[in-house]
Amino acid sequence: MEVIEGCRLPVLRRNQENEDEWPLAEILSVKDISGRKVFYVHYIDFNKRLDEWVTPERLDLKKIQFPKKEAKTPTKNGLPGSRPSSPERDLKKTLDLSLHTPAAGIGKTIPTPKRKLEAVSLTTQCSPATPVAPTPEIPTPVFAQQNGSVRRPVSAVAGRKRKAGCLGTDEDSQDSSDGIPSAPRMTGSLVSDRSHDDIVTRMKNIECIELGRHRLKPWYFSPYPQELTSLPVLYLCEFCLKYLKSLKCLQRHLTKCNLRHPPGNEIYRKGTISFFEIDGRKNKNYSQNLCLLAKCFLDHKTLYYDTDPFLFYVMTEYDCKGFHIVGYFSKEKESTEDYNVACILTLPPYQRRGYGKLLIEFSYELSKVEGKTGTPEKPLSDLGLLSYRSYWSQTILEILMELKSENGERPQITINEISELTSIKKEDVISTLQYLNLINYYKGQYILTLSEDIVEGHEKAMMKRHLRIDSKCLHFTPKDWSKRGKW
């Protein structure tokens, strides 16, 4: 029985509890190594970062499913038949519901039928990455603490696609004396439409990356030059992020590389943490290399070969050897959608240490200086959604818990006021309140009810959050890119 590409069958893998399991997997590629076949598999309903090469002993051939032949699309009068209705398309029809806005003044409310609130709440909970349509405003919620029932957050559905633009090419971006290609390969770039996926982009192509004192195992495909994909280790200069084929080439490069920090302006420093602002037009080589590295850990990221429209904010840790990259985010110089982040990443060695939330907090500090509200490009990746949900929840709860009552009455606050205080866009404020199940409709007005569990959970989370942005250490002057021609 020959196993071919497209087959599905159970494959042995070891889970996080170090136990063996046999999830269903799809064969994406087959190759021969020294006369023995190995198979590249994708575990169905698992993240692509778990894809791997396996040997025949790990395949359960008794339950193999061969790929089915594609059925022709039914036609009518020579034209393709209409597409069947999908749950996503049906769901969009329900998003026309919007809440009534207050007639005038802060604190005044107009009663809204309870069924309408439930309809919008349900829609948002089913798809947390989708903003409530269209820019709804909830009339002044009354804030109250409740010593009552436990309210558990609704589970979030991770976004599947990830659009973020920021990969450029430059023919002279690499030193040809190192014996490697001068630019990234132009094939295999991801686009936001999944129908354009090919087998190349579905498979990890880099085995290992050495970046400074860390060795990283890539999660996803990245369009590095094809000659480098067969190497056991790809070496990167940790300061300019140039890619090299051998340790000897790296050592020779380090004798010539004068950088000890990312190029650009240092706009924030507190303790050992610094942020550098890098213009994608002025520093194309660095921006391109940064995006190639980031693509190894970001799945649904659109790759554009033009970094000019983007700014990159790189977070570093300082020691006696220099400023070491921890993570970064990019943003468009001009965004018509109020996006303050296009793409965001904390490198794997620094994950689960609070740096992701620090990157998010820094993006909103920039929005505060700009006098704008911001939001990340959506849909978010699975890890991005978790990070943003956590940041939004903690930031908004921090505001609500600091409210004080006046004249013995319940404290009041509007959605607009929360948005202005935090620079979080109104849609994200509303979806977070609904995600936490805090909004209730009672006697003609909206009540924000905090249970003891919510308060205790927030206090515990804030005790663990040691890294915070100090606005006094930020030295940032926003630029009006609309008046700067081609930047």
Side-chain angles (χ1 to χ4, degrees):
M1 183 183 299
E2 184 180 2
V3 180
I4 60 174
E5 294 175 4
C7 287
R8 292 190 174 194
L9 72 171
V11 176
L12 175 65
R13 74 176 292 270
R14 184 145 295 188
N15 59 26
Q16 292 180 343
E17 286 75 29
N18 218 24
E19 299 173 348
D20 291 343
E21 59 182 4
W22 292 83
L24 185 66
E26 179 184 355
I27 305 295
L28 297 186
S29 182
V30 183
K31 69 179 180 181
D32 197 297
I33 300 179
S34 302
R36 191 185 189 203
K37 285 187 177 181
V38 290
F39 306 89
Y40 191 85
V41 300
H42 166 64
Y43 298 103
I44 308 300
D45 296 328
F46 285 73
N47 193 285
K48 278 173 59 178
R49 71 175 72 100
L50 300 175
D51 294 0
E52 59 180 336
W53 288 98
V54 301
T55 54
E57 296 80 27
R58 293 173 60 183
L59 307 181
D60 185 356
L61 299 176
K62 296 178 182 178
K63 299 180 181 179
I64 190 169
Q65 305 170 17
F66 288 97
K68 297 178 182 178
K69 293 183 179 180
E70 294 184 5
K72 294 183 178 179
T73 306
T75 59
K76 186 176 181 179
N77 299 328
L79 297 174
S82 60
R83 293 168 57 193
S85 177
S86 66
E88 289 82 0
R89 293 165 72 189
D90 292 338
L91 183 60
K92 289 179 182 177
K93 298 175 184 177
T94 69
L95 293 178
D96 294 331
L97 293 172
S98 60
L99 302 174
H100 290 293
T101 55
I106 296 175
K108 297 182 179 180
T109 63
I110 295 178
T112 304
K114 188 174 182 180
R115 58 186 179 84
K116 283 198 173 184
L117 176 63
E118 290 174 345
V120 177
S121 175
L122 178 61
T123 303
T124 306
Q125 290 172 359
C126 289
S127 180
T130 307
V132 181
T135 58
E137 285 189 29
I138 296 180
T140 313
V142 177
F143 171 73
Q145 293 192 9
Q146 172 182 304
N147 301 324
S149 59
V150 177
R151 303 184 185 278
R152 299 190 181 277
V154 179
S155 59
V157 180
R160 288 287 298 171
K161 300 178 186 176
R162 180 74 185 102
K163 178 181 178 183
C166 32
L167 180 58
T169 57
D170 189 301
E171 293 301 322
D172 300 319
S173 64
Q174 303 299 333
D175 188 348
S176 59
S177 65
D178 288 323
I180 61 175
S182 60
R185 59 206 271 195
M186 299 297 289
T187 59
S189 61
L190 289 181
V191 289
S192 57
D193 184 357
R194 304 301 294 169
S195 65
H196 290 94
D197 261 0
D198 55 35
I199 196 65
V200 174
T201 64
R202 294 183 68 186
M203 295 171 55
K204 302 173 195 175
N205 58 335
I206 304 294
E207 182 68 26
C208 180
I209 291 176
E210 183 169 306
L211 179 69
R213 61 181 179 271
H214 300 292
R215 282 207 167 184
L216 316 177
K217 295 283 287 186
W219 296 347
Y220 308 111
F221 168 90
S222 183
Y224 279 103
Q226 197 157 2
E227 298 92 315
L228 304 180
T229 59
S230 59
L231 299 175
V233 180
L234 178 63
Y235 294 87
L236 266 61
C237 171
E238 64 175 325
F239 299 113
C240 71
L241 302 183
K242 180 179 178 179
Y243 46 83
L244 303 115
K245 65 180 182 181
S246 69
L247 182 58
K248 186 176 180 180
C249 290
L250 175 63
Q251 291 169 342
R252 186 166 70 243
H253 165 79
L254 291 176
T255 62
K256 300 180 288 183
C257 183
N258 297 321
L259 279 180
R260 287 298 174 267
H261 59 76
N265 299 322
E266 185 181 10
I267 61 173
Y268 179 91
R269 182 188 292 187
K270 184 175 182 181
T272 59
I273 301 293
S274 291
F275 279 85
F276 291 82
E277 182 184 56
I278 293 134
D279 189 324
R281 181 182 69 84
K282 294 180 180 178
N283 298 283
K284 284 189 178 182
N285 295 355
Y286 182 89
S287 302
Q288 167 188 311
N289 291 336
L290 176 60
C291 293
L292 283 169
L293 172 62
K295 181 62 195 74
C296 290
F297 306 100
L298 296 172
D299 184 12
H300 303 291
K301 168 184 162 71
T302 306
L303 301 182
Y304 296 111
Y305 294 93
D306 180 18
T307 58
D308 288 16
F310 292 92
L311 294 168
F312 299 83
Y313 294 90
V314 178
M315 179 168 63
T316 64
E317 260 191 348
Y318 174 77
D319 64 17
C320 60
K321 294 183 179 179
F323 295 80
H324 308 277
I325 181 170
V326 170
Y328 88 105
F329 67 87
S330 61
K331 66 184 288 187
E332 292 178 281
K333 293 174 180 175
E334 290 184 280
S335 174
T336 56
E337 308 275 342
D338 294 328
Y339 293 138
N340 64 355
V341 166
C343 177
I344 187 167
L345 171 71
T346 305
L347 290 174
Y350 299 96
Q351 290 178 359
R352 304 184 69 83
R353 290 165 56 181
Y355 289 113
K357 209 161 286 178
L358 198 68
L359 281 167
I360 296 172
E361 186 178 1
F362 189 79
S363 71
Y364 281 105
E365 284 297 326
L366 297 184
S367 295
K368 289 177 184 178
V369 176
E370 293 170 340
K372 300 176 181 177
T373 59
T375 187
E377 282 195 30
K378 297 182 180 70
L380 293 163
S381 66
D382 54 350
L383 296 179
L385 179 62
L386 289 173
S387 298
Y388 268 95
R389 277 290 177 202
S390 178
Y391 173 79
W392 289 333
S393 299
Q394 290 181 10
T395 304
I396 293 170
L397 285 171
E398 208 169 16
I399 296 290
L400 296 180
M401 291 177 66
E402 289 176 357
L403 289 175
K404 296 179 180 178
S405 59
E406 296 179 3
N407 302 324
E409 296 182 358
R410 289 173 175 169
Q412 296 189 344
I413 191 169
T414 65
I415 298 298
N416 279 338
E417 287 173 329
I418 295 175
S419 181
E420 288 170 7
L421 288 170
T422 60
S423 282
I424 300 173
K425 207 170 182 182
K426 285 188 294 183
E427 290 87 348
D428 296 329
V429 173
I430 294 170
S431 71
T432 302
L433 291 173
Q434 292 175 328
Y435 169 80
L436 293 172
N437 203 19
L438 299 185
I439 299 179
N440 294 283
Y441 187 76
Y442 180 71
K443 292 186 177 179
Q445 60 183 341
Y446 293 97
I447 306 289
L448 297 182
T449 307
L450 295 185
S451 66
E452 285 185 345
D453 288 338
I454 290 285
V455 174
E456 290 175 6
H458 172 71
E459 289 174 347
K460 287 180 182 178
M462 295 306 291
M463 287 175 65
K464 296 178 183 177
R465 191 171 162 187
H466 303 296
L467 296 173
R468 298 297 297 267
I469 294 296
D470 185 349
S471 57
K472 297 176 183 176
C473 300
L474 176 63
H475 305 283
F476 170 70
T477 303
K479 300 179 181 67
D480 186 355
W481 295 101
S482 62
K483 297 179 182 179
R484 301 176 74 90
K486 289 189 176 182
W487 307 303

